[in-house]
Amino acid sequence: MSSFSRLVQSSYNLAHRLLNDPQCFSLLAALVVLGDAALTQLIIRFVPYTEIDWETYMIQLELYMKGEKDYAFITGPTGPIVYPAGHIHVHRFLYDLTDAGTNLWKGQEIYGALYLSTLALTAAIYKQAGNVPNWILLLLPLSKRLHSIYVLRLFNDCWAVFAAQAAILAFANSWDALGILLLGCALSVKMSVLLYVPGLLVILFKRRGLVSTLLHMLALAGTQALIGLPFLLEYPQSYLKYSYEFSRVFLFKWTVNWRFLGEELFLSPAWAKALLVGHVTTLALFGLFKWCRSDGGVREVLEKGLRQPLRAPSAAPFAADHVVTVLYTSNLIGILFARSLHYQFYSWYAMQLPFLAWRTKYPIVLRLALLLSIEYAWNVYPSTYLSSGVLVTANAALLLGIWFGYPEGKVVHCRNVEV
């Protein structure tokens, strides 16, 4: 064999190991992050920045810095502030680092680092959960829209996503106290983090028992009170109304999903109620028939948990796969039934999608087609009847695949084999 042939064979063997050997997962993850770091720098350097909300964030912050604590009067070019106080604290930090928001290049570099940190966290979650091929990591840097959300738009959603992913990694490692603290930080930036709570309640109840679950939820509420304290002490009603506004109606022209329904139906209260019913019903179905199946069913879990509220109903420790799958699925259900999705909302689940696709039993070609369809829909601007229909259909198909696939993950308890 010639030297060239040996080189080709060695390169092939190395590439094969990187893409398939679980022992090489961390090495491939590091290479993916490094490669995406180079790509992100090229995007910052050569793709023009687009102003959307950054200026508004800075103007709102300046009002707060001047002493305004009433959320009703903290407003900017794109409207009033509609985020909890963690948003204010994050942008107070960014305000100082970016010369009062004027140094956009530095802001983009910070968001680039945030993006890469979130990517690294996601790879760590995939590794902790296991049961995904190494090469799935190569799918994570391919989203055009996700790079745009981070380094070309500077949306605040990115900070909530980073903290939420860190929380999920903590929960996957059974560090529940740390997980609650991190999830509280995420929730203090964006209310969308509440989508994880139904799945988290199932995990905590089975792993910790009733009393401990209630204490963890109180701690989560406590983080919100503590972070929002400067506003709650002076204008509590105004703060709660604007930062945790459940009745907010988004404009039809910005929606990425449900556009095919038409504006009249999209804005109707009846449709909002139907989506809420669909959301709650789907969560209930997963809770009743899927998420407790390996523990003897929801009835047995509830009976054990209520009979001995200080003890965990599930005797065996959970595998990280089970925790991650339930939390990611809970988030996906909320996204599917969201009344309106704006382009920045893609960040809420973009890095979770490959993992979820591998919790279905679909052929690999169909899994990849679903991921491609979702990415396509999020890159059509403005959205169309076709793109919004594709998005809803693909999200629903992914969730249905999880229902008939591995809704508890491929490994439920640490002592179990693959299901």
Side-chain angles (χ1 to χ4, degrees):
M1 182 181 291
S2 67
S3 299
F4 178 74
S5 297
R6 286 196 297 270
L7 178 62
V8 171
Q9 184 64 42
S10 298
S11 299
Y12 173 81
N13 292 338
L14 176 60
H16 187 271
R17 281 200 65 196
L18 278 173
L19 296 176
N20 297 283
D21 188 346
Q23 293 185 345
C24 295
F25 191 94
S26 296
L27 175 58
L28 181 60
L31 293 174
V32 167
V33 172
L34 287 172
D36 206 353
L39 174 62
T40 301
Q41 287 302 311
L42 289 173
I43 292 171
I44 292 173
R45 188 178 184 88
F46 294 108
V47 182
Y49 166 82
T50 300
E51 172 57 43
I52 297 181
D53 282 337
W54 175 259
E55 182 183 354
T56 293
Y57 297 159
M58 293 299 126
I59 291 174
Q60 290 171 345
L61 179 64
E62 287 177 342
L63 290 173
Y64 164 72
M65 292 170 62
K66 291 175 182 177
E68 183 60 72
K69 300 290 180 62
D70 188 343
Y71 255 49
F73 298 105
I74 301 178
T75 187
T78 59
I81 188 170
V82 290
Y83 311 114
H87 164 84
I88 291 285
H89 299 316
V90 166
H91 286 84
R92 179 68 179 85
F93 170 74
L94 292 173
Y95 185 89
D96 291 336
L97 290 179
T98 60
D99 304 323
T102 61
N103 192 332
L104 287 175
W105 174 81
K106 190 176 288 185
Q108 288 181 284
E109 290 294 337
I110 292 170
Y111 269 78
L114 179 66
Y115 167 78
L116 294 170
S117 298
T118 306
L119 178 63
L121 278 175
T122 302
I125 291 170
Y126 281 28
K127 177 178 171 58
Q128 186 69 21
N131 292 287
V132 291
N134 292 14
W135 62 265
I136 201 176
L137 293 170
L138 301 177
L139 302 176
L140 294 176
L142 299 182
S143 174
K144 174 184 175 183
R145 176 60 66 186
L146 192 59
H147 284 93
S148 172
I149 290 168
Y150 276 82
V151 299
L152 301 180
R153 304 294 189 272
L154 311 185
F155 283 118
N156 73 324
D157 302 68
C158 305
W159 297 94
V161 171
F162 171 77
Q165 288 288 79
I168 290 166
L169 183 59
F171 289 128
N173 283 282
S174 299
W175 304 332
D176 293 339
L178 176 61
I180 285 292
L181 176 62
L182 290 168
L183 198 71
C185 291
L187 181 57
S188 76
V189 175
K190 194 86 174 184
M191 194 175 63
S192 59
V193 175
L194 286 172
L195 298 180
Y196 292 105
V197 170
L200 181 61
L201 285 170
V202 173
I203 295 297
L204 289 176
F205 185 84
K206 292 200 298 180
R207 183 153 71 188
R208 300 287 179 181
L210 176 61
V211 172
S212 182
T213 299
L214 292 175
L215 290 175
H216 279 79
M217 289 299 103
L218 285 174
L220 183 63
T223 60
Q224 303 312 293
L226 183 62
I227 293 172
L229 196 60
F231 304 94
L232 287 169
L233 288 176
E234 297 194 31
Y235 300 98
Q237 187 174 355
S238 178
Y239 176 71
L240 294 173
K241 176 184 176 181
Y242 287 98
S243 61
Y244 300 99
E245 185 179 0
F246 290 94
S247 60
R248 186 181 176 198
V249 179
F250 292 98
L251 295 176
F252 177 73
K253 69 176 182 178
W254 296 118
T255 191
V256 183
N257 63 337
W258 305 120
R259 181 176 293 277
F260 59 87
L261 297 175
E263 187 169 6
E264 183 177 354
L265 179 56
F266 175 86
L267 294 175
S268 69
W271 176 243
K273 292 176 182 177
L275 287 173
L276 179 60
V277 170
H279 187 185
V280 173
T281 301
T282 305
L283 284 170
L285 290 172
F286 269 88
L288 289 171
F289 300 109
K290 296 298 180 179
W291 287 340
C292 297
R293 188 174 52 184
S294 62
D295 294 286
V298 68
R299 181 176 179 178
E300 183 173 338
V301 170
L302 287 174
E303 284 181 351
K304 288 181 179 179
L306 296 176
R307 190 167 56 246
Q308 295 180 305
L310 295 176
R311 298 183 61 181
S314 183
F318 293 148
D321 184 11
H322 178 59
V323 176
V324 175
T325 301
V326 170
L327 292 176
Y328 278 5
T329 304
S330 181
N331 187 43
L332 176 63
I333 292 169
I335 289 170
L336 174 61
F337 289 99
R339 186 174 185 180
S340 179
L341 295 174
H342 291 185
Y343 286 94
Q344 65 267 34
F345 297 179
Y346 187 34
S347 62
W348 298 358
Y349 76 142
M351 291 190 184
Q352 301 174 4
L353 287 170
F355 182 92
L356 289 172
W358 260 254
R359 291 303 171 263
T360 73
K361 293 182 179 180
Y362 294 143
I364 290 179
V365 172
L366 182 53
R367 297 177 204 176
L368 295 176
L370 284 175
L371 297 177
L372 183 62
S373 297
I374 293 172
E375 176 69 18
Y376 154 78
W378 284 100
N379 279 282
V380 175
Y381 176 81
S383 66
T384 63
Y385 283 14
L386 175 62
S387 68
S388 62
V390 167
L391 178 61
V392 173
T393 301
N395 283 338
L398 183 58
L399 184 61
L400 194 64
I402 296 167
W403 174 274
F404 290 108
Y406 305 99
E408 292 185 288
K410 293 186 176 182
V411 176
V412 182
H413 295 115
C414 293
R415 67 188 182 194
N416 286 1
V417 296
E418 184 173 319
V419 296

